[in-house]
Amino acid sequence: MSTATASTTLSPDRVSQSLPPARKARPVAEFLSTYVFSKDHKVIGLQFLFSTLLWFLVGGLLALAVRWQVAWPWSDVPVLGKLFAQQGGQMAPEFYTMLFTMHATVMIFLVIIPILAGAFGNFLIPLMIGADDMAFPTLNMLSYWFMWPAFFAFGASFFVEGGAASSGWTSYPPLSTNVASSPGAGMGQTLWLVGLTLVGVSSMLGSVNYMTTIILMRAPGMTMFRLPMTIWAMFITAILQAFALPVLTAAGFMQLTDRTLGTGFFSPEGNIVNNAMQATGGGQPLLWQHLFWFYSHPAVYIMILPAMGMVSDIMTTFARKPLFGYRPMVYSIAGIAGLGFIVWGHHMFISGMNPALGITFMVSTMMIALPSAVKTFNWLGTIWGGRIQFTTAMLFALSFVSMFIIGGLSGIFMAATPVDIFIHDTYFIVAHFHYVLFAGTAMGVWAGIYYWFPKMFGRTMNEFWGKVHFFLTFIFLNGTFFTMHILGAVGFPRRLADAYHYETFHHLQPLNAFMTYCAIGMVATQIIFAINFFWSMFNGPIAGRNPWNANTLEWTAPSPPGHGNFDFQPVVYRGPYEYSVPGVEKDHLMQTDPPNAAEAAAAAAAHG
Amino acid sequence: MKSQSQIVSRTLVGHHSAWAVIACSISLLMCVSGCGSTPAAWFRPNMVEATKQRLTPDQEQQVSTVMLAMFGTPDAPVALPETGLDEAKLQLAAGPVHSDIVGRKNGLYREHCAHCHGVTGDGLGPTAAFLNPYPRDYRPGVFKFKSTERADKPTHEDLVRILHNGIPGTSMPSFALLSPPKVEALVEYVKYLSIRGETEIALMRAFFELDDEAQGKLPETREFLVDEVLTPVTEKWKTAADALIAVPEMASDLDLAASIAKGKELFYGDKANCVKCHGPTALGDGQANDYDDWNKAIVEVSKEVKSGLERAGETSTSGMDSEALAEHRGQLAWLDKFGRVLDGGDALRPRTIQPRNLRHGIYRGGRRPLDLYYRIHAGINGAPMPAAKGTVPPEEIWHIVNYVRSLPYELDGELGADRPMVAKDRF
Amino acid sequence: MANDNSSDGSPKRSRLMGIFWSLLFLAVPVLGVAVFIVAPWYDIWLPKDVSEHGKAIDGLFMFILALTGVVFIATEVLLFWFLWKYDAASATGPAKYIHGSHAVEVIWTIIPAATLLFLAIYQMNTWADVKMRRPAMAASVEVVGRQFEWRLRYPGRDGTLGTPDDLFLVNDLHVPADEDFLVQLKSMDVLHSFFIPNLRIKQDAVPGMKIPVWFKATENGEYDIVCAELCGWGHYKMKGRVTVESRADFERWLEKMYAQQEATQPEPLSGADGAAVALTQ
């Protein structure tokens, strides 16, 4: 691309120059700075994407090991059974606690949070707002590279004495602070805390970048209320991260000092663990829970808002219709984020905190269902009256809505404190969060991958195999997770290595076996996705700038965009989602299409 | 100018080779993961004893073969009639756990016990290293909490009681909620593992007694294996019920307060000398540098290995003839092997034993006055707790029992004037 | 003429695919409701409730199920219907160019808000009954969670906890029926959670805290105690049993257990139900 022939003028206060420096760098240094320590947001976004997809595989395999034990406890585990050869392949119970702990940790901190903000946020934000890169490219590069020490910390924790962290991803003390109570509470837990801190640093660097970029680097004409929903979602998610994360970092540090320096933030007096009296005391286990959930509740919104934004963009493209209720959608995201700060106690209804708080948190938690409901209705309103194209991306986006309805409604049971007395720590909860995080966000992530793949790699993914991938994933995920609601109603608890210890749960074993078969199918289906992904990168049909005929700014750039993104200066004249505008021959108008008199009049008349 | 991402996507691999790479990685993954299932569980040989007896690999092999014939495998146990064990009960406890078959007929031991006590009953299950105290190693045939005299085996009821009550203050849980047939099967299997372990040790020690004619091989005759090796082990189990401790009745008109006062005198006195280990405050802070028998065995062999290495290091090999040199090298090899056995999965790092904190009110062998009588009378087999039998007359043991039972409720004012909490809640 | 992004070939095939996908989404409410209807037939449903406040909790559960069920069916069927009706392959005109409707937004904000607020307020009383309105009575038993067992301590004949005549048991809780029963819940080491599914109670046991739990059991029987907060490798093993029986039987059992605890001569072992365990040799 060459800016020299651009017909627009470069504004003098552009942050970065588009042309690379003229001097010839040494080959190794050039390779490192181009592909490894790149400051180009698109390369960083792809680095995040590849890393997180790899960890997705790790997390998925850990989940299969968990499901195996739940379905057939104490039987010979495939592959992992070799570690327990003397027992005939039967896993040890502390190994099981490690499996589900690391499954959740990997999925939350190494997959979902980085893929939404790090991969999609990085790649899309400058493109969708018309900027040439992020506000702080070096900071951006660092935010990716801070993930690598975290990868090493979490990865290494599997091989230290006592194994990886095994106190649940929630890491409640005293179980997590005391190596006598749990083998993984030794070096494994320390490495876990270190890894968490590093992921936190990476997120903070990212969120600062995203907020600044979105506020300051929008193209001319791109007002806040002309931003696509993806950007609104990324923006508000970044704010959430910035305000919530410091609390987790502080809490993690406190737990680290409890474990290594003998402080007693979370250790109560007079504790006897594994027949050894504890040396320090005067602390409260509940303090950790408050601090942890103060972050981790906003975290769950961090883990879904970007997907909600992406789904809005994808659905409008493939329904050929404007988004129904743009401003309500924006306000809903803000509402979810704001209310998200005052609901953390709903994770702690049974924890021993003052029961009066059970009332207050119940009210706020019930209310947070409202903006999500409004969003769902607006999505339905978006496809109503549309011309729906069933592409793979659209199918995943539709399934996001369908599955989010299930996940969101199941949340109402938990918000009801008396009902929560029964379903807390049962599979009802497991069903709820897997529906919102996997059937929701992960489907949104796949939708985003299929949708923006052409922009990232210049080729489209294979639609047929994409639909096969969708169909099988959809069937298997519902097979795996839907019946967990019923298990929860029975009172089937979480995190049990062997639930059939209880005669009352004996008859649930066939159901659990069925769910495990579905889980195996679900993970195996991802092979199709992996092959499609890598094959299409090199052999897929070449995509032009705008294969989906979408109207947002990224589709005006080349596929993939060069350094500097746009080969012209984007100027924005209209909002996103201008599809099927009456009186216009094409069924969409790009955000950069200037208005003519007739269109302006027609648009004004049609606006509801 | 090509964008960086375009270069990235085109640099690495060509078109068709992408397919090959993907196909190869998947098949490699499948091979590496091992599509086959794990082999059946096996009994781990007692490497500490084998190495201590300086057995050659052939001798170790012979022991394994004989053990296989006499006792079978974890999935298929064998109980010779001389053992007095019920093979049907063993079948119930043995084998892999089959949770997908509701109402399954076996796998009890591996479901409930093996991850701590080990498949072999050697206290070396995967969870064992993280527990305090370590789970019991049945192989020496020593059990702590029983109703028989110190050196004798526990009765059947003793073992059932342990499973029923668990051992409070340790990781051994109560299995009271298991149905009686299952408890019976597990007790039988524990006896089986103990008899098996003791027999293995006896076989390994028997090599030392062999004369030169035997050429380092044990005679594999029924007369030797069953009559000379196995029977002494099983006899002790069969006669356990004959060694019950005779417990005198506690006087029904006993003045409890007076008994407690007398017990206190004895506690602090020289005859029983409880404070030596339990401490003048009864908090268990007397001497704390002793070991129980299982840990002591490891400590002793570790010392032997350490001093052996030191001596071997100091010995200069110059001026040695070939025979002495071979012996020296053999010694080094043996020390090296022992070191590896102790550091590997065949032994746990030794821990000192803590005398009981009597202010807690947690009694491992049971909290009945009767249980405390047993502990004081016979001491605790395998632990440094000595027997009071012979030094303290039986009625006086009851006084000590009553005093000990009052310790958790002694008002803290006894120890410090202005803290009116019950000792149990304070400590 | 609209750009068709589906890569399917003929319009007819496109329409067939549209039908296929719409029906797939219809399967969600159909199968979803079917699972909830069929499950109770297989005894996979709320366990038997034998507590006084359990009725309120189960009632709330069912009420919320009905409410969310209606919303679930309505929204999912609507989703299916829109996919079916507005398939590009069968559409005749362009999509509706509409950015929203203020009136509709107000309606579907106010109604859910009112419903949710009503739900929240409606349940406050039940929560207060179960967790805030403690009966004025001395503790009936002290339950201490420990890795990995439930240690119980009954007050004994003098009715006071913390005296030498306390009865110590493990995992075997007996409760007199039709009486208020107050548990003092503690933990010796890490977090546990005292969960009795059939009594609809659950409370985390927090080390350093003493938390009261109360209930009234209404039917005799034996029920499980489950640990419901990860407490280490043996979390799954923390199984206890609660036996609800008449006051007379309860007293008898207490006496028997106490006599066992005070035994000074060997006697046969008693099982969890107080009957002698038959031993074979």
Side-chain angles (χ1 to χ4, degrees):
Chain A
M1 64 124 236
S2 135
T3 50
T5 56
S7 54
T8 53
T9 49
L10 290 170
S11 93
D13 55 344
R14 280 280 285 270
V15 178
S16 67
Q17 292 303 308
S18 307
L19 288 169
R23 61 179 170 84
K24 203 86 174 99
R26 286 175 22 249
V28 171
E30 189 183 341
F31 180 84
L32 283 177
S33 66
T34 310
Y35 302 117
V36 180
F37 297 108
S38 169
K39 297 183 196 172
D40 184 321
H41 72 99
K42 300 181 292 300
V43 176
I44 297 170
L46 290 182
Q47 287 174 318
F48 266 108
L49 185 67
F50 290 128
S51 312
T52 51
L53 285 178
L54 213 66
W55 279 104
F56 202 3
L57 179 67
V58 171
L61 293 174
L62 287 168
L64 282 188
V66 170
R67 279 306 322 164
W68 186 277
Q69 171 73 6
V70 175
W72 305 291
W74 316 128
S75 63
D76 176 16
V77 191
V79 183
L80 292 173
K82 304 267 184 293
L83 295 169
F84 301 99
Q86 214 243 321
Q87 285 81 246
Q90 170 182 329
M91 74 161 78
E94 60 273 11
F95 190 78
Y96 180 74
T97 57
M98 184 273 288
L99 284 175
F100 62 69
T101 302
M102 292 313 288
H103 161 69
T105 304
V106 163
M107 286 305 204
I108 291 173
F109 295 109
L110 299 182
V111 180
I112 294 284
I113 293 181
I115 203 174
L116 288 175
F120 287 105
N122 254 315
F123 193 88
L124 294 174
I125 290 176
L127 283 170
M128 288 176 112
I129 66 175
D132 60 346
D133 205 308
M134 288 285 187
F136 306 118
T138 310
L139 207 67
N140 205 12
M141 181 265 286
L142 285 174
S143 103
Y144 175 69
W145 284 101
F146 264 96
M147 293 298 287
W148 274 88
F151 296 156
F152 279 120
F154 286 120
S157 70
F158 285 100
F159 301 103
V160 297
E161 188 182 339
S166 56
S167 314
W169 82 277
T170 45
S171 216
Y172 285 175
L175 187 65
S176 57
T177 45
N178 205 313
V179 66
S181 64
S182 163
M187 182 53 94
Q189 182 72 17
T190 304
L191 285 171
W192 189 90
L193 290 165
V194 167
L196 205 71
T197 310
L198 290 164
V199 171
V201 170
S202 163
S203 292
M204 286 299 292
L205 296 180
S207 76
V208 162
N209 229 336
Y210 304 159
M211 288 191 283
T212 313
T213 308
I214 292 171
I215 293 175
L216 293 182
M217 292 180 67
R218 285 167 282 131
M222 178 64 90
T223 62
M224 289 301 281
F225 282 106
R226 279 182 179 166
L227 286 171
M229 288 304 293
T230 302
I231 301 301
W232 270 112
M234 295 289 178
F235 179 56
I236 290 175
T237 302
I239 298 175
L240 264 180
Q241 274 281 42
F243 281 94
L245 196 51
V247 178
L248 182 73
T249 312
F253 191 70
M254 287 157 78
Q255 197 185 103
L256 200 60
T257 57
D258 261 21
R259 301 183 60 255
T260 51
L261 296 180
T263 55
F265 292 110
F266 309 122
S267 320
E269 215 175 291
N271 238 21
I272 302 173
V273 183
N274 208 359
N275 304 311
M277 179 89 94
Q278 298 314 295
T280 53
Q284 287 217 42
L286 282 184
L287 178 61
W288 166 267
Q289 293 186 39
H290 281 290
L291 295 173
F292 178 83
W293 286 114
F294 188 84
Y295 166 74
S296 297
H297 192 83
V300 312
Y301 298 120
I302 289 166
M303 290 192 274
I304 198 159
L305 289 177
M308 286 181 164
M310 298 197 301
V311 159
S312 295
D313 284 352
I314 295 170
M315 283 176 71
T316 47
T317 303
F318 295 115
R320 313 311 294 164
K321 239 194 100 193
L323 185 69
F324 197 92
Y326 177 88
R327 284 193 189 222
M329 285 293 242
V330 173
Y331 298 143
S332 298
I333 292 188
I336 291 173
L339 281 170
F341 276 104
I342 56 169
V343 295
W344 81 90
H346 67 232
H347 300 272
M348 297 170 62
F349 285 144
I350 309 298
S351 66
M353 75 173 176
N354 189 332
L357 291 175
I359 307 263
T360 59
F361 281 115
M362 168 158 69
V363 176
S364 55
T365 307
M366 284 288 186
M367 294 324 291
I368 206 169
L370 177 64
S372 306
V374 167
K375 289 190 78 69
T376 308
F377 299 141
N378 277 300
W379 281 317
L380 290 175
T382 303
I383 55 172
W384 162 73
R387 293 190 86 253
I388 299 169
Q389 298 165 347
F390 290 100
T391 57
T392 310
M394 180 58 159
L395 288 168
F396 275 107
L398 289 168
S399 74
F400 175 95
V401 176
S402 172
M403 304 286 98
F404 178 72
I405 291 173
I406 298 178
L409 289 175
S410 64
I412 296 182
F413 289 83
M414 291 152 225
T417 32
V419 178
D420 190 56
I421 294 175
F422 184 73
I423 59 176
H424 173 72
D425 237 86
T426 64
Y427 263 73
F428 204 94
I429 313 291
V430 179
H432 165 74
F433 62 69
H434 279 101
Y435 260 93
V436 281
L437 284 178
F438 185 80
T441 300
M443 297 301 245
V445 164
W446 275 310
I449 292 179
Y450 282 98
Y451 186 63
W452 279 294
F453 188 93
K455 189 54 55 184
M456 293 175 181
F457 300 108
R459 296 170 183 270
T460 42
M461 287 178 76
N462 184 292
E463 274 291 306
F464 173 73
W465 287 108
K467 287 171 183 168
V468 171
H469 169 226
F470 165 73
F471 178 72
L472 291 175
T473 304
F474 190 76
I475 301 281
F476 284 133
L477 87 83
N478 279 294
T480 309
F481 297 118
F482 195 79
T483 44
M484 286 187 185
H485 294 103
I486 310 288
L487 282 184
V490 180
F492 195 88
R494 289 171 75 170
R495 298 171 162 174
L496 292 193
D498 177 11
Y500 315 114
H501 211 60
Y502 299 86
E503 283 84 30
T504 38
F505 299 137
H506 272 181
H507 66 300
L508 299 170
Q509 196 275 334
L511 182 58
N512 271 304
F514 167 72
M515 287 154 67
T516 299
Y517 288 128
C518 287
I520 294 173
M522 192 163 65
V523 175
T525 303
Q526 305 317 312
I527 296 177
I528 299 176
F529 170 71
I531 295 178
N532 192 356
F533 187 76
F534 286 106
W535 188 90
S536 304
M537 232 188 270
F538 308 112
N539 300 318
I542 304 240
R545 292 189 182 218
N546 195 355
W548 312 120
N549 294 305
N551 96 320
T552 41
L553 276 188
E554 76 272 28
W555 304 107
T556 63
S559 297
H563 193 57
N565 293 343
F566 298 94
D567 48 6
F568 65 100
Q569 168 61 60
V571 178
V572 174
Y573 295 101
R574 56 188 80 243
Y577 318 129
E578 291 301 294
Y579 296 104
S580 304
V581 181
V584 175
E585 201 201 302
K586 274 195 314 178
D587 79 335
H588 68 287
L589 284 169
M590 305 299 293
Q591 284 195 278
T592 48
D593 282 347
N596 59 43
E599 279 179 79
H607 260 113
Chain B
M1 187 202 92
K2 273 196 181 142
S3 80
Q4 285 155 341
S5 24
Q6 283 174 318
I7 298 170
V8 167
S9 43
R10 264 163 244 233
T11 308
L12 297 170
V13 193
H15 297 201
H16 300 291
S17 17
W19 268 121
V21 167
I22 292 164
C24 277
S25 350
I26 291 179
S27 23
L28 191 70
L29 199 68
M30 289 173 72
C31 293
V32 160
S33 66
C35 287
S37 52
T38 324
W42 69 91
F43 284 128
R44 190 206 309 249
N46 191 340
M47 285 312 294
V48 173
E49 189 68 31
T51 314
K52 196 162 147 192
Q53 300 299 330
R54 298 183 185 254
L55 299 187
T56 66
D58 282 340
Q59 290 171 329
E60 284 173 16
Q61 183 56 48
Q62 189 192 20
V63 171
S64 290
T65 316
V66 167
M67 293 299 291
L68 185 64
M70 288 177 78
F71 292 98
T73 61
D75 289 349
V78 167
L80 297 172
E82 287 76 6
T83 57
L85 295 169
D86 181 341
E87 220 174 86
K89 287 189 194 167
L90 293 184
Q91 295 290 355
L92 199 56
V97 185
H98 287 300
S99 279
D100 47 345
I101 305 169
V102 180
R104 60 194 177 279
K105 286 295 173 220
N106 60 4
L108 285 174
Y109 182 78
R110 244 178 273 175
E111 182 184 353
H112 295 290
C113 323
H115 69 95
C116 292
H117 288 283
V119 166
T120 319
D122 51 10
L124 295 171
T127 311
F130 307 113
L131 302 177
N132 179 22
Y134 290 135
R136 182 62 56 240
D137 174 0
Y138 307 131
R139 296 172 303 176
V142 173
F143 292 83
K144 281 185 175 179
F145 307 116
K146 52 201 176 61
S147 58
T148 54
E149 296 291 350
R150 190 188 182 97
D152 291 290
K153 295 277 186 265
T155 62
H156 185 85
E157 162 146 8
D158 287 335
L159 293 177
V160 172
R161 201 172 270 279
I162 298 224
L163 278 192
H164 194 268
N165 296 330
I167 300 181
T170 70
S171 299
M172 172 71 186
S174 157
F175 287 99
L177 301 180
L178 273 185
S179 66
K182 290 187 177 169
V183 171
E184 289 286 316
L186 286 171
V187 167
E188 200 77 353
Y189 199 77
V190 168
K191 279 202 237 178
Y192 160 81
L193 287 175
S194 178
I195 291 171
R196 186 187 176 282
E198 273 198 271
T199 309
E200 188 182 21
I201 293 174
L203 281 173
M204 289 179 171
R205 290 187 181 159
F207 283 99
F208 193 67
E209 312 284 338
L210 293 174
D211 54 26
D212 293 329
E213 244 180 48
Q215 291 181 331
K217 269 190 67 142
L218 295 172
E220 288 182 13
T221 61
R222 187 161 232 287
E223 180 197 47
F224 176 74
L225 292 175
V226 177
D227 298 340
E228 281 189 43
V229 176
L230 180 63
T231 305
V233 174
T234 55
E235 266 317 294
K236 294 215 82 182
W237 278 100
K238 289 183 187 160
T239 56
D242 300 334
L244 283 173
I245 296 171
V247 181
E249 291 278 352
M250 185 155 62
S252 49
D253 57 349
L254 189 71
D255 175 4
L256 194 60
S259 175
I260 290 175
K262 271 195 226 137
K264 183 167 179 174
E265 271 176 44
L266 288 159
F267 190 89
Y268 285 89
D270 289 328
K271 230 185 334 187
N273 203 5
C274 311
V275 295
K276 172 166 170 234
C277 299
H278 289 284
T281 47
L283 291 171
D285 52 3
Q287 75 175 41
N289 54 0
D290 207 342
Y291 297 91
D292 63 24
D293 286 1
W294 300 268
N295 282 291
K296 192 178 283 186
I298 304 297
V299 168
E300 277 167 4
V301 297
S302 299
K303 273 197 218 149
E304 200 184 323
V305 169
K306 186 160 171 232
S307 60
L309 281 170
E310 274 169 15
R311 263 183 282 118
E314 284 160 14
T315 315
S316 106
T317 53
S318 65
M320 271 191 182
D321 62 11
S322 60
E323 202 184 300
L325 200 63
E327 202 184 300
H328 175 80
R329 292 223 178 96
Q331 174 74 353
L332 276 175
W334 178 77
L335 288 169
D336 180 55
K337 179 182 176 191
F338 219 159
R340 271 181 287 118
V341 163
L342 291 174
D343 287 337
D346 290 293
L348 294 168
R349 259 177 258 148
R351 286 205 191 113
T352 53
I353 188 165
Q354 288 289 96
R356 189 64 45 239
N357 177 341
L358 296 170
R359 299 277 178 189
H360 269 144
I362 296 177
Y363 307 103
R364 291 193 183 173
R367 69 179 315 116
R368 301 175 301 170
L370 181 66
D371 294 315
L372 294 177
Y373 187 96
Y374 288 146
R375 299 294 95 71
I376 299 173
H377 170 97
I380 298 179
N381 193 13
M385 168 87 179
K389 171 183 177 182
T391 43
V392 181
E395 325 74 59
E396 293 194 355
I397 294 185
W398 279 124
H399 297 319
I400 304 181
V401 168
N402 287 326
Y403 177 63
V404 166
R405 293 186 85 222
S406 75
L407 279 172
Y409 300 97
E410 211 171 54
L411 276 179
D412 207 358
E414 305 261 307
L415 307 161
D418 54 355
R419 291 172 299 175
M421 272 164 104
V422 174
K424 183 183 196 312
D425 289 331
R426 175 112 192 115
F427 296 111
Chain C
M1 188 276 297
N3 301 306
D4 186 359
N5 285 322
S6 309
S7 59
D8 301 296
S10 66
K12 187 164 176 188
R13 180 135 184 272
S14 239
R15 179 58 192 145
L16 277 173
M17 286 314 294
I19 291 175
F20 175 71
W21 296 121
S22 316
L23 290 176
L24 181 70
F25 282 99
L26 182 64
V28 171
V30 169
L31 291 177
V33 170
V35 166
F36 272 84
I37 291 177
V38 165
W41 284 103
Y42 287 89
D43 199 24
I44 307 179
W45 194 241
L46 293 168
K48 181 162 95 152
D49 165 44
V50 297
S51 75
E52 193 183 49
H53 64 249
K55 290 168 203 34
I57 291 179
D58 284 2
L60 280 168
F61 182 89
M62 295 307 291
F63 177 63
I64 295 175
L65 184 64
L67 193 65
T68 52
V70 165
V71 174
F72 171 62
I73 296 172
T75 45
E76 299 279 7
V77 167
L78 213 58
L79 179 70
F80 150 74
W81 177 237
F82 290 160
L83 293 178
W84 177 280
K85 184 163 177 203
Y86 298 109
D87 185 354
S90 63
T92 45
K96 296 192 211 296
Y97 182 73
I98 176 169
H99 287 81
S101 154
H102 187 68
V104 165
E105 298 285 348
V106 166
I107 291 174
W108 69 35
T109 304
I110 300 273
I111 293 183
T115 313
L116 291 165
L117 206 56
F118 164 75
L119 257 181
I121 295 171
Y122 183 59
Q123 299 180 78
M124 289 181 185
N125 200 42
T126 309
W127 173 252
D129 274 340
V130 180
K131 290 283 178 180
M132 294 167 78
R133 298 189 184 123
R134 182 189 348 173
M137 56 188 283
S140 318
V141 73
E142 180 194 75
V143 174
V144 179
R146 178 183 175 265
Q147 286 179 321
F148 298 102
E149 57 194 8
W150 297 103
R151 308 194 62 78
L152 314 172
R153 187 154 70 120
Y154 282 92
R157 290 191 188 108
D158 66 354
T160 320
L161 275 172
T163 52
D165 75 339
D166 288 349
L167 175 63
F168 289 83
L169 294 160
V170 178
N171 288 342
D172 181 24
L173 180 68
H174 281 238
V175 170
D178 299 310
E179 286 179 29
D180 281 328
F181 195 80
L182 180 65
V183 171
Q184 284 286 15
L185 188 61
K186 292 161 71 169
S187 167
M188 204 181 264
D189 41 32
V190 298
L191 290 171
H192 300 274
S193 189
F194 187 64
F195 177 31
I196 305 181
N198 297 86
L199 291 175
R200 305 292 190 265
I201 57 151
K202 181 183 288 145
Q203 176 58 52
D204 280 8
V206 185
M209 287 174 79
K210 201 157 60 169
I211 301 173
V213 180
W214 58 92
F215 54 85
K216 186 188 279 190
T218 54
E219 199 177 310
N220 291 0
E222 285 175 6
Y223 312 105
D224 288 326
I225 304 175
V226 183
C227 180
E229 183 60 56
L230 178 67
C231 51
W233 58 263
H235 174 51
Y236 72 99
K237 271 195 195 193
M238 262 181 88
K239 175 180 172 181
R241 178 153 63 203
V242 55
T243 306
V244 180
E245 54 195 357
S246 66
R247 170 46 75 167
D249 284 340
F250 174 68
E251 299 275 345
R252 247 191 306 256
W253 171 82
L254 272 181
E255 280 301 319
K256 181 147 195 179
M257 288 295 120
Y258 191 72
Q260 244 186 23
Q261 183 179 281
E262 298 300 308
T264 54
Q265 285 296 311
E267 56 182 39
L269 188 66
S270 283
D273 55 358
V277 172
L279 292 176
T280 59
Q281 270 301 342

